[in-house]
Coordinates of all heavy atoms in Angstrom, one line a residue:
M1 N 53.1 124.5 46.8 CA 54.3 125.0 47.4 C 55.4 125.2 46.3 O 55.6 124.4 45.5 CB 54.8 124.0 48.4 CG 56.1 124.5 49.1 SD 56.6 123.2 50.3 CE 56.6 124.2 51.8
R2 N 56.0 126.4 46.3 CA 56.9 126.8 45.3 C 58.3 126.3 45.6 O 58.8 126.4 46.8 CB 56.9 128.3 45.1 CG 57.7 128.7 43.9 CD 57.4 130.1 43.5 NE 58.0 130.3 42.2 CZ 58.3 131.4 41.7 NH1 57.9 132.5 42.4 NH2 58.9 131.5 40.6
S3 N 59.1 125.7 44.7 CA 60.4 125.2 44.9 C 61.4 126.4 45.0 O 61.3 127.4 44.3 CB 60.8 124.3 43.8 OG 62.1 123.9 43.9
T4 N 62.4 126.3 45.9 CA 63.4 127.3 46.0 C 64.7 126.9 45.3 O 65.7 127.6 45.3 CB 63.7 127.5 47.5 OG1 64.2 126.3 48.0 CG2 62.6 128.1 48.2
L5 N 64.6 125.8 44.6 CA 65.8 125.3 43.8 C 65.9 126.2 42.6 O 64.9 126.5 42.0 CB 65.7 123.9 43.5 CG 65.7 122.9 44.6 CD1 65.5 121.5 44.1 CD2 67.0 122.9 45.4
P6 N 67.2 126.5 42.1 CA 67.3 127.2 40.9 C 66.8 126.4 39.7 O 67.0 125.2 39.7 CB 68.8 127.5 40.8 CG 69.4 126.5 41.7 CD 68.4 126.1 42.7
V7 N 66.3 127.1 38.7 CA 65.8 126.5 37.5 C 66.9 126.6 36.5 O 67.4 127.7 36.2 CB 64.5 127.2 37.0 CG1 64.1 126.6 35.7 CG2 63.4 127.1 38.1
L8 N 67.2 125.5 35.9 CA 68.3 125.4 34.9 C 67.7 125.9 33.6 O 66.6 125.6 33.2 CB 68.8 124.0 34.7 CG 69.6 123.5 35.9 CD1 70.0 122.0 35.6 CD2 70.8 124.3 36.3
D9 N 68.4 126.7 32.9 CA 68.0 127.2 31.6 C 68.3 126.2 30.5 O 69.5 125.8 30.3 CB 68.8 128.5 31.3 CG 68.3 129.2 30.0 OD1 67.4 128.6 29.3 OD2 68.8 130.3 29.7
D10 N 67.3 125.7 29.9 CA 67.5 124.6 28.9 C 68.3 125.1 27.7 O 68.8 124.4 26.9 CB 66.1 124.1 28.4 CG 65.5 123.3 29.5 OD1 66.2 122.7 30.4 OD2 64.3 123.1 29.5
R11 N 68.3 126.5 27.5 CA 69.0 127.0 26.4 C 70.5 127.1 26.6 O 71.2 127.3 25.6 CB 68.4 128.4 26.1 CG 67.0 128.4 25.7 CD 66.5 129.8 25.6 NE 66.5 130.4 26.9 CZ 66.3 131.7 27.2 NH1 66.0 132.5 26.3 NH2 66.3 132.1 28.5
Q12 N 71.0 126.8 27.8 CA 72.4 126.9 28.0 C 73.0 125.7 27.3 O 72.7 124.6 27.5 CB 72.6 126.8 29.5 CG 74.1 127.0 29.9 CD 74.3 127.0 31.4 OE1 73.4 126.6 32.1 NE2 75.4 127.6 31.8
T13 N 74.1 126.0 26.6 CA 74.7 124.9 25.8 C 75.7 124.2 26.7 O 76.2 124.7 27.6 CB 75.4 125.5 24.6 OG1 76.5 126.3 25.1 CG2 74.5 126.3 23.7
S14 N 76.0 123.0 26.3 CA 77.0 122.2 27.0 C 78.4 122.8 26.9 O 79.2 122.6 27.7 CB 77.0 120.7 26.6 OG 77.3 120.6 25.2
A15 N 78.6 123.5 25.8 CA 79.9 124.1 25.6 C 80.2 125.2 26.6 O 81.3 125.3 27.1 CB 80.0 124.8 24.2
S16 N 79.1 125.9 27.0 CA 79.4 127.0 28.1 C 79.6 126.3 29.4 O 80.4 126.8 30.2 CB 78.2 127.9 28.1 OG 77.0 127.3 28.5
I17 N 79.0 125.2 29.7 CA 79.2 124.5 30.9 C 80.7 123.9 30.9 O 81.4 124.1 31.9 CB 78.2 123.3 31.1 CG1 76.8 123.9 31.3 CG2 78.7 122.4 32.3 CD1 75.8 122.8 31.3
L18 N 81.1 123.4 29.8 CA 82.5 122.9 29.7 C 83.5 124.1 29.9 O 84.5 123.9 30.6 CB 82.7 122.3 28.3 CG 84.0 121.7 28.0 CD1 84.3 120.5 29.0 CD2 84.1 121.2 26.6
T19 N 83.2 125.2 29.3 CA 84.0 126.4 29.5 C 84.2 126.8 31.0 O 85.3 127.0 31.4 CB 83.5 127.6 28.7 OG1 83.4 127.2 27.3 CG2 84.4 128.7 28.8
M20 N 83.1 126.8 31.7 CA 83.2 127.1 33.2 C 84.0 126.0 33.9 O 84.8 126.4 34.7 CB 81.7 127.1 33.8 CG 80.9 128.3 33.3 SD 79.3 128.4 34.2 CE 78.7 126.7 34.2
D21 N 83.9 124.8 33.5 CA 84.6 123.7 34.1 C 86.1 123.9 33.8 O 87.0 123.7 34.6 CB 84.1 122.4 33.6 CG 84.2 121.3 34.6 OD1 84.3 121.6 35.8 OD2 84.3 120.1 34.3
E22 N 86.4 124.2 32.5 CA 87.8 124.4 32.1 C 88.4 125.6 32.9 O 89.6 125.5 33.3 CB 87.9 124.6 30.6 CG 87.7 123.3 29.8 CD 87.6 123.6 28.3 OE1 87.4 124.8 27.9 OE2 87.7 122.6 27.6
N23 N 87.7 126.7 33.0 CA 88.2 127.8 33.8 C 88.5 127.5 35.2 O 89.5 127.9 35.8 CB 87.2 129.0 33.7 CG 87.1 129.6 32.4 OD1 88.1 129.6 31.7 ND2 86.0 130.3 32.1
Y24 N 87.7 126.6 35.8 CA 87.9 126.2 37.2 C 89.2 125.4 37.3 O 90.0 125.7 38.2 CB 86.7 125.4 37.7 CG 86.8 124.9 39.1 CD1 86.7 125.8 40.2 CD2 87.1 123.6 39.4 CE1 86.8 125.4 41.5 CE2 87.2 123.1 40.7 CZ 87.1 124.0 41.7 OH 87.2 123.6 43.0
I25 N 89.4 124.5 36.4 CA 90.6 123.7 36.4 C 91.8 124.6 36.1 O 92.8 124.4 36.7 CB 90.5 122.5 35.4 CG1 89.4 121.5 35.9 CG2 91.8 121.8 35.1 CD1 89.0 120.5 34.9
Y26 N 91.7 125.5 35.2 CA 92.7 126.4 34.8 C 93.1 127.2 36.1 O 94.3 127.4 36.3 CB 92.3 127.3 33.7 CG 93.4 128.3 33.3 CD1 94.5 128.0 32.6 CD2 93.2 129.7 33.7 CE1 95.4 128.9 32.2 CE2 94.2 130.6 33.4 CZ 95.3 130.2 32.7 OH 96.2 131.1 32.3
G27 N 92.2 127.7 36.8 CA 92.5 128.4 38.0 C 93.2 127.6 39.1 O 94.1 128.1 39.7
E28 N 92.8 126.3 39.2 CA 93.5 125.5 40.2 C 95.0 125.3 39.7 O 95.9 125.4 40.5 CB 92.9 124.1 40.2 CG 91.6 124.0 40.9 CD 91.0 122.6 40.8 OE1 91.5 121.8 40.0 OE2 90.0 122.3 41.6
R29 N 95.2 125.0 38.5 CA 96.5 124.7 38.0 C 97.4 126.0 38.1 O 98.5 125.9 38.4 CB 96.5 124.3 36.5 CG 95.8 123.0 36.3 CD 96.7 121.8 36.6 NE 96.1 120.6 36.2 CZ 96.5 119.4 36.7 NH1 97.6 119.4 37.4 NH2 95.9 118.3 36.4
T30 N 96.8 127.1 37.8 CA 97.5 128.4 37.9 C 98.0 128.7 39.3 O 99.1 129.0 39.6 CB 96.7 129.6 37.3 OG1 96.3 129.3 36.0 CG2 97.5 130.9 37.4
G31 N 97.1 128.4 40.3 CA 97.4 128.6 41.7 C 98.5 127.7 42.1 O 99.5 128.1 42.8
L32 N 98.4 126.5 41.7 CA 99.5 125.5 42.1 C 100.8 125.9 41.4 O 101.9 125.7 42.0 CB 99.1 124.1 41.7 CG 97.9 123.5 42.5 CD1 97.4 122.2 41.8 CD2 98.3 123.2 43.9
Q33 N 100.8 126.4 40.2 CA 102.0 126.8 39.5 C 102.7 128.0 40.3 O 103.9 128.0 40.4 CB 101.8 127.2 38.1 CG 101.5 125.9 37.2 CD 101.1 126.3 35.8 OE1 100.7 127.4 35.5 NE2 101.2 125.4 34.9
L34 N 101.9 128.9 40.8 CA 102.4 130.0 41.6 C 103.1 129.5 42.9 O 104.2 130.0 43.2 CB 101.3 131.0 41.9 CG 100.8 131.8 40.7 CD1 99.6 132.6 41.1 CD2 101.9 132.7 40.2
V35 N 102.5 128.5 43.5 CA 103.1 128.0 44.7 C 104.3 127.2 44.4 O 105.3 127.4 45.1 CB 102.1 127.0 45.5 CG1 102.7 126.4 46.6 CG2 100.8 127.8 45.9
R36 N 104.3 126.5 43.3 CA 105.5 125.8 42.8 C 106.6 126.8 42.6 O 107.8 126.6 43.0 CB 105.2 125.0 41.6 CG 106.4 124.3 41.0 CD 106.1 123.5 39.8 NE 105.6 122.1 40.2 CZ 106.5 121.2 40.5 NH1 107.8 121.4 40.5 NH2 106.0 120.0 40.9
L37 N 106.3 127.9 41.9 CA 107.4 128.9 41.6 C 108.0 129.4 42.9 O 109.2 129.6 43.0 CB 106.7 130.0 40.7 CG 107.6 131.1 40.3 CD1 108.8 130.6 39.4 CD2 106.8 132.2 39.7
A38 N 107.1 129.7 43.8 CA 107.6 130.3 45.1 C 108.5 129.3 45.8 O 109.6 129.7 46.4 CB 106.4 130.7 46.0
I39 N 108.1 128.0 45.8 CA 109.0 127.0 46.4 C 110.3 126.8 45.7 O 111.4 126.8 46.3 CB 108.2 125.6 46.5 CG1 107.1 125.7 47.5 CG2 109.2 124.5 46.9 CD1 106.2 124.5 47.4
E40 N 110.3 126.8 44.4 CA 111.5 126.7 43.6 C 112.4 127.9 43.8 O 113.6 127.7 43.8 CB 111.2 126.5 42.1 CG 110.5 125.2 41.8 CD 110.1 125.1 40.4 OE1 110.0 126.1 39.7 OE2 109.8 123.9 39.9
M41 N 111.9 129.1 44.1 CA 112.7 130.2 44.2 C 113.3 130.3 45.6 O 114.3 131.0 45.8 CB 111.9 131.5 43.9 CG 111.6 131.6 42.5 SD 110.5 133.0 42.1 CE 111.5 134.4 42.6
T42 N 112.6 129.7 46.6 CA 113.1 129.9 48.0 C 113.6 128.7 48.7 O 114.4 128.8 49.6 CB 111.9 130.5 48.9 OG1 110.8 129.6 48.8 CG2 111.5 131.8 48.4
C43 N 113.2 127.5 48.3 CA 113.6 126.3 48.9 C 114.9 125.7 48.3 O 115.2 126.0 47.1 CB 112.5 125.2 48.9 SG 111.1 125.7 49.8
P44 N 115.6 124.9 49.0 CA 116.8 124.2 48.4 C 116.5 123.4 47.2 O 115.4 122.8 47.1 CB 117.4 123.3 49.5 CG 116.7 123.7 50.8 CD 115.4 124.4 50.4
A45 N 117.5 123.3 46.3 CA 117.3 122.5 45.1 C 117.0 121.0 45.5 O 117.6 120.5 46.4 CB 118.5 122.6 44.2
G46 N 116.2 120.4 44.7 CA 115.9 119.0 44.9 C 114.8 118.7 45.9 O 114.4 117.5 46.1
V47 N 114.3 119.7 46.6 CA 113.2 119.4 47.6 C 111.9 119.2 46.9 O 111.0 118.5 47.5 CB 113.2 120.6 48.6 CG1 112.4 121.7 48.1 CG2 112.6 120.1 49.9
L48 N 111.7 119.6 45.7 CA 110.5 119.5 45.0 C 110.7 118.8 43.7 O 111.5 119.2 42.9 CB 109.9 120.9 44.7 CG 108.5 121.0 44.0 CD1 107.4 120.3 44.8 CD2 108.2 122.4 43.7
P49 N 110.0 117.6 43.5 CA 110.2 116.9 42.2 C 109.6 117.8 41.0 O 108.7 118.6 41.3 CB 109.4 115.6 42.4 CG 108.6 115.8 43.6 CD 109.1 116.9 44.4
S50 N 110.0 117.5 39.8 CA 109.5 118.2 38.7 C 108.0 117.8 38.5 O 107.5 116.8 39.1 CB 110.2 117.8 37.4 OG 110.0 116.4 37.1
E51 N 107.3 118.6 37.7 CA 105.9 118.3 37.4 C 105.7 116.9 36.8 O 104.8 116.2 37.1 CB 105.3 119.4 36.5 CG 105.1 120.7 37.2 CD 104.5 121.8 36.3 OE1 103.4 121.5 35.8 OE2 105.1 122.8 36.1
E52 N 106.6 116.5 35.9 CA 106.6 115.2 35.3 C 106.7 114.1 36.4 O 106.0 113.1 36.3 CB 107.6 115.1 34.2 CG 107.4 116.0 33.0 CD 107.9 117.4 33.2 OE1 108.6 117.7 34.2 OE2 107.5 118.3 32.4
A53 N 107.7 114.3 37.3 CA 107.9 113.3 38.3 C 106.7 113.3 39.3 O 106.3 112.2 39.7 CB 109.2 113.7 39.1
V54 N 106.1 114.4 39.5 CA 104.9 114.4 40.4 C 103.8 113.6 39.7 O 103.1 112.8 40.4 CB 104.4 115.8 40.7 CG1 103.0 115.8 41.3 CG2 105.4 116.6 41.6
N55 N 103.6 113.7 38.4 CA 102.6 112.9 37.7 C 102.9 111.4 37.8 O 101.9 110.6 37.9 CB 102.5 113.3 36.2 CG 101.9 114.7 36.0 OD1 101.1 115.1 36.9 ND2 102.2 115.3 34.9
L56 N 104.1 111.0 37.8 CA 104.5 109.6 37.9 C 104.4 109.1 39.3 O 103.9 108.0 39.5 CB 105.9 109.4 37.3 CG 106.0 109.6 35.8 CD1 107.5 109.5 35.4 CD2 105.2 108.6 35.0
L57 N 104.9 109.9 40.2 CA 104.9 109.4 41.6 C 103.6 109.5 42.4 O 103.2 108.6 43.1 CB 105.9 110.3 42.4 CG 107.4 110.1 42.0 CD1 108.3 111.2 42.7 CD2 107.9 108.7 42.3
Y58 N 102.8 110.6 42.1 CA 101.6 110.9 42.9 C 100.4 110.7 42.0 O 99.4 110.1 42.5 CB 101.6 112.3 43.5 CG 102.7 112.5 44.4 CD1 103.9 113.1 44.1 CD2 102.6 112.2 45.8 CE1 104.9 113.4 45.0 CE2 103.6 112.4 46.7 CZ 104.7 113.0 46.3 OH 105.7 113.3 47.2
G59 N 100.4 111.2 40.8 CA 99.2 111.2 39.9 C 99.1 112.5 39.2 O 99.7 113.5 39.5
P60 N 98.1 112.5 38.2 CA 98.0 113.7 37.4 C 97.0 114.8 37.8 O 97.0 115.8 37.2 CB 97.5 113.1 36.1 CG 96.6 111.9 36.5 CD 97.3 111.4 37.8
L61 N 96.3 114.6 38.9 CA 95.3 115.5 39.4 C 95.9 116.7 40.1 O 97.0 116.6 40.7 CB 94.3 114.8 40.2 CG 93.5 113.7 39.6 CD1 92.6 113.0 40.6 CD2 92.7 114.2 38.4
P62 N 95.2 117.8 40.2 CA 95.7 119.0 40.9 C 96.0 118.6 42.4 O 96.9 119.1 43.0 CB 94.6 120.0 40.8 CG 93.9 119.7 39.5 CD 94.0 118.2 39.4
V63 N 95.2 117.7 43.0 CA 95.4 117.4 44.4 C 96.7 116.7 44.6 O 97.4 116.8 45.6 CB 94.2 116.5 44.9 CG1 94.2 115.1 44.3 CG2 94.3 116.4 46.4
H64 N 97.2 115.9 43.5 CA 98.5 115.3 43.6 C 99.6 116.3 43.6 O 100.6 116.2 44.3 CB 98.6 114.3 42.5 CG 97.6 113.2 42.5 ND1 96.8 112.9 41.4 CD2 97.2 112.4 43.5 CE1 96.0 111.9 41.8 NE2 96.2 111.6 43.0
E65 N 99.5 117.3 42.8 CA 100.5 118.4 42.7 C 100.5 119.1 44.1 O 101.5 119.4 44.6 CB 100.1 119.4 41.6 CG 101.0 120.6 41.6 CD 102.4 120.4 41.0 OE1 102.7 119.3 40.5 OE2 103.3 121.3 41.1
G66 N 99.3 119.3 44.7 CA 99.2 120.0 46.0 C 99.9 119.1 47.1 O 100.6 119.7 48.0
E67 N 99.8 117.8 47.0 CA 100.4 116.9 47.9 C 101.9 117.1 47.8 O 102.6 117.2 48.9 CB 100.0 115.5 47.7 CG 100.5 114.5 48.7 CD 100.1 113.1 48.4 OE1 99.3 112.9 47.4 OE2 100.6 112.2 49.1
A68 N 102.5 117.1 46.6 CA 103.9 117.2 46.5 C 104.4 118.6 47.0 O 105.5 118.7 47.6 CB 104.3 117.0 45.0
L69 N 103.6 119.6 46.7 CA 104.0 121.0 47.2 C 104.0 121.0 48.7 O 105.0 121.5 49.3 CB 103.1 122.0 46.6 CG 103.1 122.2 45.1 CD1 102.0 123.1 44.7 CD2 104.4 122.7 44.6
A70 N 103.0 120.4 49.3 CA 102.9 120.4 50.8 C 104.1 119.7 51.4 O 104.7 120.1 52.4 CB 101.6 119.8 51.2
K71 N 104.5 118.5 50.8 CA 105.6 117.7 51.3 C 106.9 118.5 51.2 O 107.7 118.5 52.1 CB 105.7 116.4 50.6 CG 104.6 115.4 51.0 CD 104.8 114.1 50.4 CE 103.7 113.1 50.9 NZ 103.9 111.8 50.4
A72 N 107.1 119.3 50.1 CA 108.3 120.1 49.9 C 108.4 121.2 51.0 O 109.4 121.4 51.5 CB 108.3 120.7 48.5
I73 N 107.2 121.8 51.3 CA 107.2 122.8 52.3 C 107.6 122.2 53.7 O 108.4 122.8 54.4 CB 105.9 123.6 52.3 CG1 105.7 124.4 51.0 CG2 105.8 124.5 53.5 CD1 104.3 124.9 50.8
I74 N 106.9 121.1 54.0 CA 107.2 120.5 55.3 C 108.7 120.1 55.4 O 109.3 120.3 56.4 CB 106.3 119.3 55.5 CG1 104.8 119.8 55.7 CG2 106.7 118.4 56.6 CD1 103.8 118.7 55.5
E75 N 109.2 119.5 54.4 CA 110.6 119.0 54.4 C 111.5 120.2 54.6 O 112.5 120.1 55.3 CB 110.9 118.3 53.1 CG 112.3 117.7 53.1 CD 112.7 117.0 51.8 OE1 111.8 116.3 51.3 OE2 113.8 117.0 51.4
T76 N 111.3 121.3 53.9 CA 112.1 122.5 54.1 C 112.0 123.1 55.5 O 113.1 123.4 56.1 CB 111.7 123.6 53.1 OG1 111.8 123.1 51.7 CG2 112.5 124.8 53.2
V77 N 110.9 123.1 56.0 CA 110.7 123.6 57.4 C 111.5 122.7 58.4 O 112.1 123.2 59.3 CB 109.2 123.8 57.8 CG1 109.0 124.0 59.3 CG2 108.6 124.9 57.0
E78 N 111.3 121.4 58.2 CA 112.1 120.5 59.1 C 113.6 120.6 58.9 O 114.3 120.6 59.9 CB 111.6 119.1 58.8 CG 110.2 118.7 59.3 CD 109.7 117.4 58.9 OE1 110.4 116.7 58.0 OE2 108.7 116.9 59.4
R79 N 114.1 120.8 57.7 CA 115.5 121.1 57.5 C 116.0 122.3 58.2 O 117.0 122.3 58.9 CB 115.8 121.2 56.0 CG 115.9 119.9 55.3 CD 116.4 120.2 53.9 NE 116.3 119.1 53.0 CZ 116.7 119.0 51.8 NH1 117.1 120.1 51.2 NH2 116.6 117.9 51.1
L80 N 115.2 123.4 58.1 CA 115.6 124.6 58.8 C 115.5 124.5 60.3 O 116.4 125.0 61.0 CB 114.6 125.8 58.3 CG 114.7 126.2 56.9 CD1 113.6 127.2 56.5 CD2 116.1 126.8 56.6
A81 N 114.6 123.8 60.8 CA 114.5 123.6 62.2 C 115.7 122.8 62.7 O 116.3 123.1 63.8 CB 113.2 122.9 62.6
R82 N 116.0 121.7 62.0 CA 117.2 120.9 62.4 C 118.5 121.7 62.3 O 119.4 121.6 63.2 CB 117.3 119.7 61.5 CG 116.4 118.6 61.9 CD 116.7 117.3 61.1 NE 116.8 117.4 59.7 CZ 115.8 117.2 58.8 NH1 114.6 116.9 59.3 NH2 116.0 117.3 57.5
R83 N 118.6 122.6 61.3 CA 119.8 123.4 61.2 C 119.9 124.4 62.3 O 121.0 124.7 62.8 CB 119.7 124.2 59.8 CG 121.0 125.0 59.5 CD 120.8 125.8 58.3 NE 119.9 126.9 58.7 CZ 119.5 127.9 57.9 NH1 119.8 127.8 56.6 NH2 118.7 128.8 58.3
D84 N 118.8 124.9 62.8 CA 118.8 125.9 63.9 C 118.8 125.2 65.2 O 118.8 125.8 66.3 CB 117.6 126.8 63.8 CG 117.7 127.7 62.6 OD1 118.8 127.9 62.0 OD2 116.7 128.2 62.1
G85 N 118.8 123.8 65.2 CA 118.8 123.1 66.5 C 117.5 123.1 67.2 O 117.5 122.8 68.4
E86 N 116.4 123.3 66.6 CA 115.1 123.3 67.2 C 114.4 122.0 66.9 O 114.8 121.3 66.0 CB 114.3 124.5 66.7 CG 114.8 125.8 66.9 CD 114.0 126.9 66.3 OE1 112.9 126.6 65.7 OE2 114.4 128.1 66.3
D87 N 113.4 121.7 67.7 CA 112.6 120.6 67.5 C 111.5 121.0 66.4 O 110.8 122.0 66.6 CB 111.8 120.1 68.7 CG 112.3 118.9 69.3 OD1 113.1 118.2 68.6 OD2 112.0 118.6 70.5
P88 N 111.4 120.2 65.3 CA 110.4 120.6 64.3 C 109.0 120.4 64.8 O 108.7 119.7 65.6 CB 110.7 119.6 63.1 CG 111.6 118.6 63.6 CD 112.2 119.0 64.9

């Protein structure tokens, strides 16, 4: 019976694997930076901690930055809802 699993090429260097991994992390960070920029441009000042503060408060991983961004968005929506007299 023939296996349907992909065969890894032994000639592939670990450097090329590292490069793919680095590109993936770079893409995550770039996407998070774009969301951060949008929040900083549209939300009130002080709703989003700096990147350095996020590293200290939440942690250094992209998921931690995402958590801080999500909290900033939620806080802004709740502020707007209260201002308009609506239930958030």
